[in-house]
Coordinates of all heavy atoms in Angstrom, one line a residue:
Chain B
D1301 N -22.3 3.6 -14.5 CA -23.5 3.8 -13.7 C -24.1 5.2 -14.0 O -23.4 6.2 -13.8 CB -23.2 3.6 -12.3 CG -24.5 3.5 -11.4 OD1 -25.1 4.6 -11.2 OD2 -24.8 2.4 -10.9
A1302 N -25.3 5.3 -14.4 CA -26.0 6.6 -14.8 C -26.1 7.5 -13.6 O -26.2 8.7 -13.7 CB -27.3 6.3 -15.4
C1303 N -26.0 6.9 -12.3 CA -26.2 7.8 -11.1 C -24.9 8.2 -10.5 O -24.8 8.9 -9.5 CB -27.0 7.0 -10.1 SG -28.6 6.4 -10.7
G1304 N -23.8 7.8 -11.1 CA -22.4 8.2 -10.7 C -21.8 9.3 -11.6 O -22.5 9.9 -12.3
I1305 N -20.5 9.5 -11.4 CA -19.8 10.5 -12.2 C -19.5 10.1 -13.6 O -18.9 10.9 -14.4 CB -18.6 11.0 -11.5 CG1 -17.5 9.9 -11.3 CG2 -18.9 11.7 -10.1 CD1 -16.2 10.4 -10.9
G1306 N -19.7 8.8 -14.0 CA -19.3 8.3 -15.3 C -19.8 9.2 -16.5 O -19.0 9.7 -17.2
P1307 N -21.1 9.4 -16.6 CA -21.6 10.2 -17.7 C -21.0 11.6 -17.8 O -20.6 12.1 -18.8 CB -23.1 10.3 -17.5 CG -23.4 9.0 -16.7 CD -22.2 8.8 -15.8
E1308 N -20.8 12.2 -16.6 CA -20.2 13.6 -16.5 C -18.8 13.6 -17.0 O -18.4 14.5 -17.8 CB -20.3 14.1 -15.1 CG -19.6 15.4 -14.9 CD -19.5 15.8 -13.4 OE1 -20.4 15.4 -12.6 OE2 -18.6 16.6 -13.1
I1309 N -17.9 12.7 -16.6 CA -16.5 12.7 -17.0 C -16.4 12.3 -18.5 O -15.6 12.8 -19.2 CB -15.6 11.9 -16.1 CG1 -16.0 10.4 -16.0 CG2 -15.5 12.5 -14.7 CD1 -15.0 9.5 -15.3
L1310 N -17.3 11.4 -18.9 CA -17.4 11.1 -20.4 C -17.7 12.4 -21.2 O -17.0 12.7 -22.2 CB -18.4 10.0 -20.7 CG -18.1 8.6 -20.2 CD1 -19.3 7.7 -20.3 CD2 -16.9 8.0 -21.0
A1311 N -18.7 13.1 -20.8 CA -19.0 14.4 -21.5 C -17.8 15.3 -21.5 O -17.5 15.9 -22.5 CB -20.2 15.0 -20.8
K1312 N -17.1 15.5 -20.4 CA -16.0 16.4 -20.3 C -14.9 16.1 -21.2 O -14.1 16.9 -21.6 CB -15.5 16.5 -18.8 CG -16.4 17.3 -17.9 CD -15.9 17.3 -16.5 CE -16.8 18.2 -15.6 NZ -16.5 18.1 -14.2
V1313 N -14.7 14.8 -21.5 CA -13.7 14.4 -22.5 C -13.9 15.1 -23.8 O -12.9 15.4 -24.5 CB -13.8 12.8 -22.7 CG1 -13.1 12.4 -24.0 CG2 -13.2 12.1 -21.5
F1314 N -15.1 15.4 -24.2 CA -15.4 16.0 -25.5 C -15.4 17.5 -25.5 O -15.7 18.1 -26.5 CB -16.7 15.4 -26.0 CG -16.6 13.9 -26.3 CD1 -17.0 13.0 -25.4 CD2 -16.1 13.5 -27.5 CE1 -16.9 11.6 -25.6 CE2 -16.0 12.1 -27.8 CZ -16.4 11.2 -26.8
L1315 N -15.2 18.1 -24.4 CA -15.1 19.6 -24.3 C -13.7 20.0 -24.9 O -12.7 19.4 -24.7 CB -15.0 20.0 -22.8 CG -16.3 20.2 -22.1 CD1 -16.0 20.4 -20.6 CD2 -17.2 21.3 -22.7

Side-chain angles (χ1 to χ4, degrees):
Chain B
D1301 190 290
C1303 304
I1305 61 168
E1308 175 188 333
I1309 57 175
L1310 288 168
K1312 284 180 175 168
V1313 159
F1314 293 92
L1315 278 172

